[in-house]
Each structure stands twice: as C-alpha cells, then as structure tokens.
Amino acid sequence: MSHVKNSPGLLLHAAIEDNDFLECQRLLKEFGKTASMVKNRSGTTPLMAAANGACGRENNIRLVEALLAAGAKESAAERNKNGRTAADIAKARGALELSKRLRFLETEAAGKESFSRCKICKAKLRRRSKLEFVRDKVFRGEETNPLLVELFKGDGNSSTTIKSLSRPEFHRVNSCLALRKELSESMALISELKRLRSGCIIIQEEGNREMMDKQDVASSNATVSWKGWHIVDLCSGSSLTASLALHLLPGATITAVDMVDPGKLPHFEAAGFGQQSFRYLQSDIYDKALVGKLHERANEITHSGKITTVVFGMHCCGDLSF
C-alpha cells in the first residue's frame, strides 16, 4: 500500500484526521479505491478510522457510506497492527449495528482474497517465505555473508530448519523488514556460542587463552544436544533469535524478554515449542522484578540439576549496550 507523500490515500487519511468530511467526500469521488483502500503508517485503513467514529457524530455514517461506495468494502477483512478489523473496532466502541454490517462485509471480502491468512491470528501470509529467497541467493553464490552461509549450508539439517521456519506459525519471522541483517545478527550470537562450546577460545584477556574442558567439547554436528542450556535473549523483539536457537540448538530452553506485545511473536506453541522450550516474559529489562522472574524460570528447568545459562543481548541499548 502506497505511502508516497501527498498520495490520494494519505490525503484521505489526513482529511479524516482533520474531521473534514467534505474533503473526504471530494477525494473519494475523484480517486475511488485508489484512496479508500490505502493503509496509513500505523496500519489503519480509512474504513477502520470510520469504524472508530472519525469525522464526528453527524458525519461518521456519511463517511462510512462514502467509503463503501468508493470500494472500501474490499478492505473490510484487513487488519491493523493490533490484528483488529473494522468490525472489531466498531464493536469495541459500542457501534453494534455498524459492527454487524462490517462483519458481513469482512466475511465477504475474506472469501475473495487471493492470499492465505494465518489460522491463528489471521495475518496475511506471504506466498513464499523470505527465508527461502535468502537461501536461494546463498546457493546461487550471490550471498557470501559467512554467517548466512553457515545457516543455510552449515550442516545436513539446514534444509529441515528452513522448512520449519517457513511454516505459517513463524510468519512473524518472515515479515521482518530487514531479514538479512537480523539473520546475520542472530547467527553471530548462535555461531559464537557453538564455537565456544566446541572448545575454541572462551576467554582472551591480555594475551592469555583458556580452553574449555575436553569433556564439554561438542561436534559441530547439529544433532548435538543442548539439553541443560538456558538461553536468555534480552530485548528479543519479534523473537527471531529465539526461533533460530530453538532449531539450531536442539534441546535448549529459551527465555525471551521484551516489551513487545506477545501477539506480535511467532506462534511457538502451535509450532510444537511449548512453555518448557520457550517462554516469553513481557517486561522492561530495567524492572527489578525481572531478576526474580528469571530465577523462577531457571528453577522450572530441571536437567539433572545442572543448568548452563547464557545471556544474549544483541539489541540491548543505552547503558546496557556494549
């Protein structure tokens, strides 16, 4: 959907925000669906704005009618960034008759969509996983980033990992705008952890190097178990790192911490990763109660009494960045 400055769609949104019904009417008559179907930067369609009571009590219904006449009914199944449709928004503000009408149009519009939606959150699904596009570039030799090469060619289970992460349950991973960058950052953490565990340098201070005990040396083979390892991912965002770790560190327990709405995360449980494997703590990392929550989480993990905890902090900022 276009976000070009002064595009008909954004001009319509501006008129709606100004409660200028006459300007809305003019734009809809002149541009029709070119204006009525466009989302603004917050993911709101004009129909959603109208469902929320835009243009005031006197002109709100007139705005709804003008939008529908201009083709906006085709956007009735669209969802905003909180996963709500126009019908949901109307219902939430108590406009039950409008909600009922919009729900009918929502069902009608959904039946005509040429794409699939997530069965859990109803978000649009890409026709092809972004991960698969990156994988293809790696195999064609167009992508030479060693971390991405490791992800897609590192072991015999790479294809299984990518296939799993391309499932609808992980569509949040594949909707990441800067996926290549995010993959590289996540792989930098996971790859280094694997390297440390496999007996490479774990401490380098003033030229002195210490090696891990040989009994903890692990093969680079992906079948090595990470049972007994607890990964805490601070400022986890959409949990891309957690998603990769669950696949690349089999047996590990992952705890992700961030302020992001849980609804914005991959559907871990539906994908087969229950609370024992993955737990999300919605918390400010400066919250003093977080330490207690992490202790509680650690106590839940029972692997022969020994737990190795590793803290990831790729996206920590401010005083916590380093």
Side-chain angles (χ1 to χ4, degrees):
M1 301 228 176
S2 174
H3 293 307
V4 177
K5 186 177 181 180
N6 294 329
S7 69
L10 293 187
L11 288 173
L12 177 59
H13 278 288
I16 290 173
E17 290 176 10
D18 291 339
N19 290 321
D20 189 343
F21 173 70
L22 292 179
E23 179 63 6
C24 291
Q25 193 174 46
R26 183 191 71 77
L27 289 166
L28 289 169
K29 284 183 178 180
E30 183 175 352
F31 298 106
K33 284 197 293 186
T34 303
S36 69
M37 297 287 287
V38 175
K39 285 185 177 181
N40 62 16
R41 294 189 182 278
S42 65
T44 299
T45 64
L47 191 58
M48 292 175 192
N52 201 33
C55 282
R57 183 175 299 178
E58 292 183 4
N59 290 317
N60 178 247
I61 294 301
R62 294 174 67 191
L63 175 61
V64 171
E65 297 298 344
L67 285 166
L68 295 178
K73 63 181 180 180
E74 294 180 22
S75 70
E78 291 288 339
R79 294 175 180 270
N80 62 17
K81 290 185 176 181
N82 294 320
R84 299 200 301 171
T85 64
D88 296 329
I89 293 169
K91 183 178 180 180
R93 76 176 181 91
L96 301 184
E97 286 301 316
L98 177 58
S99 175
K100 184 177 180 180
R101 182 182 180 189
L102 292 174
R103 190 72 72 194
F104 174 81
L105 294 174
E106 177 185 326
T107 302
E108 190 177 63
K112 297 178 180 178
E113 291 176 335
S114 59
F115 49 83
S116 300
R117 287 186 179 272
C118 173
K119 293 181 180 180
I120 300 170
C121 67
K122 306 303 180 183
K124 288 182 181 179
L125 298 178
R126 296 178 61 88
R127 287 186 173 84
R128 189 162 184 254
S129 162
K130 278 188 175 182
L131 280 166
E132 293 174 341
F133 283 106
V134 180
R135 177 201 62 193
D136 290 351
K137 292 187 71 174
V138 168
F139 279 91
R140 288 197 301 266
E142 297 171 8
E143 175 58 75
T144 58
N145 182 318
L147 291 167
L148 296 181
V149 172
E150 178 184 345
L151 171 61
F152 293 99
K153 288 186 173 182
D155 57 64
N157 292 325
S158 293
S159 60
T160 302
T161 296
I162 301 309
K163 184 176 181 180
S164 178
L165 288 171
S166 296
R167 290 181 291 164
E169 291 85 353
F170 288 99
H171 68 84
R172 296 293 183 190
V173 169
N174 285 288
S175 64
C176 178
L177 293 177
L179 182 61
R180 178 185 177 280
K181 169 181 172 292
E182 298 291 342
L183 284 173
S184 297
E185 293 174 346
S186 295
M187 281 302 297
L189 294 169
I190 293 171
S191 179
E192 181 66 7
L193 179 57
K194 283 184 173 182
R195 188 182 75 86
L196 297 181
R197 188 185 175 190
S198 66
C200 292
I201 303 166
I202 59 169
I203 298 177
Q204 182 173 356
E205 183 177 348
E206 296 180 358
N208 295 321
R209 299 180 175 185
E210 298 179 15
M211 306 297 289
M212 292 188 74
D213 192 306
K214 291 296 182 183
Q215 68 181 4
D216 199 31
V217 172
S219 160
S220 60
N221 193 302
T223 58
V224 169
S225 174
W226 287 79
K227 186 177 181 181
W229 288 71
H230 179 204
I231 312 298
V232 179
D233 186 19
L234 299 178
C235 299
S236 56
S238 60
S239 294
L240 171 60
T241 301
S243 300
L244 286 172
L246 286 167
H247 290 82
L248 300 178
L249 308 176
T253 298
I254 315 296
T255 301
V257 182
D258 207 304
M259 293 291 290
V260 173
D261 184 334
K264 307 268 185 200
L265 304 183
H267 306 300
F268 289 105
E269 289 205 38
F273 298 101
Q275 291 286 306
Q276 186 66 17
S277 298
F278 175 83
R279 178 77 56 82
Y280 178 62
L281 300 180
Q282 187 177 20
S283 172
D284 186 331
I285 58 176
Y286 287 102
D287 187 347
K288 294 180 180 179
L290 176 59
V291 174
K293 293 177 182 177
L294 289 174
H295 276 302
E296 289 177 10
R297 173 65 166 155
N299 290 334
E300 293 174 5
I301 307 167
T302 54
H303 294 302
S304 304
K306 180 182 178 182
I307 300 173
T308 301
T309 299
V310 178
V311 178
F312 285 168
M314 175 61 75
H315 295 105
C316 291
C317 56
D319 294 338
L320 294 176
S321 62
F322 56 89

